[in-house]
């Protein structure tokens, strides 16, 4: 009976991870992926809608502009959601914020589902903005919720589940977008509206799971609820030590104030942390992984794969990233963060260089398209092993509790801004650079690899005290050890 109870209690944390992830980063990857399948159908719908309204077809360049806006409104909504996540999390709590966040998903699914019947491509644009807001909120609140719910020894592995659910969402979006399922000319409104399913799963499962114990004690001041949540997540054994630590954190947070995002850029004590966050956070969005996904279909076609089979081969690209993130989750505590980032960007530089050469010489050698296809898979694997999973941990490990909320806002705003600009400009860049489309991304990968190898401090196996002391030496060379620190400073982590 006791073993059964332990097994059930161990499953509570797993169910919490799954319930938070299915409506969190899974939605991000899923909605990022499903928009690719109905590209031509939505462009035709936009043109026909305009013809019915005005009697004139929409010029091709304006059709491309409308499509770019549909794609780019998703990251713009994500930027708004990232700025909204902090106030929501401190007012409603972590779990309730994720649940309330599904309002945006429900509204977007309704707009998508009835857009063709209403003859309005503007409904698609508004729906993409709403699912972007939902993704922006959940991508900040989900790691906060899971990080506060996980035990110390599992916190690193639990943090990596965000990247795993993102990759899983990408794969599922590719599968559901197959022509045989919802990728056909008549079913594309249902494809876009299918984001309702993960949201419904989260609404059905997450209310049954506990709130963050740290939020219950520190933010709400409810020791009884905190202990009950811990008991469900950990079991009855060895709660006294963890409760004592939480009480210490509660005492430290009294009278403290979280830093504002702009204050991070003014403090010399945070110089190395901010530089690492900006350089590597921006590099993850500008390293060319999205370019590989976009160019993959053309490469597969040039390799001789028939049009009706390309969609199945393309699923392998998402499968590669999913496999790589799972592998990264297993080896991150052995290899270290710096090795995975440096190796990942270094490998992406190699594969990107070969990919560019293969595109330029594909007319001269019959086997060049196959080489380019191999580079696509190799580059996506390299991205999944290093940048995809490790970058998301930087804000947690490099910043203390007082600066961490602002760091999450800076990182989220940077990521979504980059994603918006790339989505808006990429179709025109691809048309202008042709076979040399990957050259700008190569420069980003080289810079990221050099920075990771030379300037990023390794945090594997180190306590917060050791990380803080090392960063103090880096920010203040010649001053020796930093000030005495008994543990990470804890404040209300989302009070911004």
């Amino acid at each position: 009976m006791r073993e059964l109870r332990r097994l059930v209690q161990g499953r509570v944390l797993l169910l919490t991870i799954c319930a938070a992830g299915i409506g969190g980063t899974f939605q991000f990857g899923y909605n990022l992926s499903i928009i690719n399948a109905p590209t031509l159908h939505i462009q035709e719908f936009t043109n026909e809608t305009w013809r019915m309204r005005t009697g004139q077809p929409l010029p091709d360049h304006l059709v491309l502009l409308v499509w770019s806006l549909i794609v780019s409104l998703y990251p713009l909504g994500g930027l708004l959601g990232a700025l909204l996540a902090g106030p929501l999390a401190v007012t409603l709590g972590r779990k309730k914020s994720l649940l309330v966040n599904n309002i945006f998903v429900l509204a977007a699914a309704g707009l998508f589902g009835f857009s063709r019947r209403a003859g309005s491509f503007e409904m698609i644009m508004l729906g993409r903005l709403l699912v972007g807001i939902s993704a922006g909120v959940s991508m900040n609140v989900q790691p906060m919720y899971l990080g506060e719910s996980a035990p110390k020894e599992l916190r690193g592995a639990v943090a990596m589940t965000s990247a795993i659910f993102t990759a899983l969402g990408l794969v599922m979006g590719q599968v559901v977008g197959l022509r045989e399922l919802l990728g056909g000319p008549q079913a594309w409104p249902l494809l876009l509206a299918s984001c309702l399913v993960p949201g419904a799963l989260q609404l059905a499962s997450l209310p049954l799971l506990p709130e963050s114990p740290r939020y219950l004690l520190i933010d709400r001041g409810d020791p009884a609820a905190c202990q009950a949540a811990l008991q469900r997540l950990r079991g009855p054994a060895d709660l006294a030590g963890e409760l004592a630590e939480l009480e210490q954190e509660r005492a430290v947070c009294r009278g403290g104030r979280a830093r504002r995002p702009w204050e991070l850029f003014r403090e010399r004590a945070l110089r190395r942390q901010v530089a690492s966050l900006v350089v590597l956070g921006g590099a993850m969005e500008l390293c060319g992984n999205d370019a590989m996904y976009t160019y993959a279909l053309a490469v597969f076609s040039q390799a001789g794969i028939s049009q009706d089979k390309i969609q199945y081969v393309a699923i392998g690209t998402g499968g590669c990233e999913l496999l790589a993130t799972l592998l990264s989750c297993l080896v991150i505590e052995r290899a270290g963060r710096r090795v995975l980032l440096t190796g990942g960007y270094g490998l992406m530089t190699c594969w990107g260089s070969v990919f560019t050469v293969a595109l330029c010489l594909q007319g001269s050698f019959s086997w060049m398209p196959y080489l380019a296809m191999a580079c696509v898979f190799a580059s996506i694997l390299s991205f999944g092993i290093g940048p995809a999973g490790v970058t998301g941990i930087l804000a947690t490990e490099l910043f203390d509790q007082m600066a961490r909320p602002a760091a999450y806002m800076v990182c989220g705003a940077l990521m979504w801004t980059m994603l918006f600009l790339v989505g808006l400009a990429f179709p025109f860049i691809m048309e202008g650079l042709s076979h040399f489309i990957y050259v700008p991304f190569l420069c980003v990968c080289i810079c990221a690899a050099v920075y990771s190898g030379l300037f990023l401090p390794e945090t594997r196996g180190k306590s917060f005290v050791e990380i803080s002391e090392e960063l103090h030496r880096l920010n203040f060379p010649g001053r020796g050890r930093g000030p005495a620190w008994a543990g990470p400073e804890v404040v209300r982590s989302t009070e911004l």
Side-chain angles (χ1 to χ4, degrees):
M1 189 66 180
R2 183 177 299 176
E3 293 298 326
L4 179 61
R5 176 181 292 182
R6 289 180 179 176
L7 184 61
V8 171
Q9 288 162 345
R11 288 179 176 175
V12 170
L13 179 59
L14 178 61
L15 291 174
T16 302
I17 293 171
C18 293
I22 196 68
T25 53
F26 178 89
Q27 285 275 37
F28 165 66
Y30 185 77
N31 287 290
L32 194 65
S33 177
I34 60 173
I35 198 65
N36 293 323
T39 298
L40 294 178
H41 307 317
I42 294 178
Q43 290 179 355
E44 292 172 358
F45 168 72
T46 301
N47 200 11
E48 287 300 320
T49 300
W50 190 263
R51 188 194 300 272
M52 291 176 61
R53 293 178 183 177
T54 65
Q56 299 289 332
L58 194 64
D60 291 342
H61 70 281
L62 291 181
V63 172
L64 180 62
L65 178 61
V66 171
W67 172 248
S68 297
L69 287 174
I70 290 174
V71 174
S72 300
L73 279 172
Y74 181 64
L76 179 61
L79 174 60
L80 298 177
L83 300 177
L84 183 63
L88 271 180
V90 75
T91 303
L92 302 178
R94 282 52 162 162
K95 187 176 79 170
K96 286 184 180 178
S97 295
L98 290 173
L99 292 171
V100 170
N101 186 42
N102 285 290
I103 293 175
F104 298 112
V105 176
L106 296 177
L111 290 170
F112 290 143
F114 293 100
S115 59
R116 187 170 61 182
R117 181 172 296 183
S120 173
F121 58 84
E122 293 87 355
M123 292 174 66
I124 302 176
M125 298 171 70
L126 180 58
R128 290 289 291 176
L129 181 67
L130 291 177
V131 293
I133 294 175
S134 173
V137 170
S138 58
M139 287 188 70
N140 277 10
V141 177
Q142 177 190 337
M144 197 182 307
Y145 175 48
L146 295 180
E148 293 175 356
S149 301
K152 290 180 179 179
E153 60 272 13
L154 295 177
R155 192 165 294 157
V158 169
M160 287 292 298
T161 60
S162 296
I164 293 174
F165 274 100
T166 298
L168 182 61
L170 287 170
V171 175
M172 289 301 299
Q174 291 173 328
V175 172
V176 176
L178 293 174
R179 284 188 294 269
E180 292 81 357
L181 297 178
L182 298 179
Q186 301 301 319
W188 63 263
L190 293 177
L191 173 63
L192 298 182
S194 62
C195 62
L196 177 65
V197 176
L201 290 174
Q202 186 176 76
L203 287 172
S205 58
L206 194 57
L208 306 176
L209 298 165
E211 173 61 278
S212 158
R214 172 180 283 180
Y215 171 79
L216 292 172
L217 182 64
I218 297 177
D219 288 67
R220 283 182 45 185
D222 192 343
C226 171
Q227 185 171 359
L230 273 178
Q231 209 152 24
R232 290 190 63 192
L233 289 166
R234 311 282 193 272
D238 298 327
L239 287 183
E242 191 165 359
L243 284 172
E245 290 179 3
L246 287 174
E247 286 292 350
Q248 291 176 356
E249 293 175 354
R250 182 187 182 190
V252 171
C253 92
R254 288 173 182 166
R257 182 183 68 81
R259 291 184 177 90
R260 272 48 173 186
W262 55 86
E263 292 176 347
L264 302 183
F265 297 90
R266 297 199 301 235
E267 294 194 27
R268 183 179 177 183
L270 298 174
R271 184 176 298 173
R272 181 63 62 94
Q273 296 95 305
V274 172
S276 300
L277 188 70
V278 171
V279 171
L280 297 177
M284 188 179 71
E285 297 302 328
L286 298 176
C287 65
N289 188 61
D290 293 335
M292 282 293 184
Y293 275 109
T294 303
Y295 228 96
L297 299 182
V299 170
F300 297 155
S301 177
Q302 291 164 357
I305 299 174
S306 59
Q307 291 295 325
D308 58 333
K309 302 295 184 184
I310 284 181
Q311 57 178 345
Y312 305 107
V313 180
I315 296 176
T317 58
C320 280
E321 186 168 337
L322 177 59
L323 177 64
T325 53
L326 288 171
L327 178 62
S328 179
C329 184
L330 296 175
V331 304
I332 186 171
E333 295 300 338
R334 297 182 180 181
R337 284 66 163 157
R338 186 163 57 190
V339 170
L340 291 180
L341 280 173
T342 306
Y345 282 119
L347 288 173
M348 289 183 71
T349 302
C350 296
W351 300 125
S353 302
V354 177
F355 179 71
T356 302
V357 173
L359 290 180
C360 295
L361 299 179
Q362 60 186 352
S364 303
F365 303 94
S366 60
W367 48 271
M368 278 295 174
Y370 299 99
L371 179 60
M373 186 169 64
C375 289
V376 168
F377 286 101
S379 180
I380 291 173
L381 276 170
S382 303
F383 176 79
I385 290 175
V390 180
T391 307
I393 306 177
L394 295 179
T396 301
E397 295 189 328
L398 296 182
F399 292 85
D400 60 26
Q401 288 287 342
M402 190 164 289
R404 191 171 298 140
Y408 268 114
M409 286 193 67
V410 170
C411 186
L414 177 67
M415 186 198 79
W416 288 106
T417 301
M418 293 293 184
L419 199 59
F420 172 76
L421 295 176
V422 170
L424 188 64
F426 185 76
F428 303 98
I429 296 175
M430 186 168 63
E431 184 177 348
L433 294 181
S434 185
H435 297 332
F436 297 95
I437 180 63
Y438 208 78
V439 172
F441 304 119
L442 285 177
C443 299
V444 175
C445 289
I446 293 172
C447 292
V450 171
Y451 185 90
S452 300
L454 299 180
F455 302 105
L456 180 68
E458 179 57 72
T459 58
R460 175 176 61 95
K462 296 178 181 178
S463 66
F464 283 114
V465 176
E466 294 169 331
I467 295 172
S468 177
E469 290 177 349
E470 180 177 354
L471 289 169
H472 184 273
R473 288 193 296 268
L474 293 173
N475 289 316
F476 299 97
R479 293 194 184 182
R481 295 170 60 89
W485 193 39
E489 294 181 296
V490 180
V491 298
R492 296 189 177 190
S493 60
T494 54
E495 186 178 345
L496 299 173

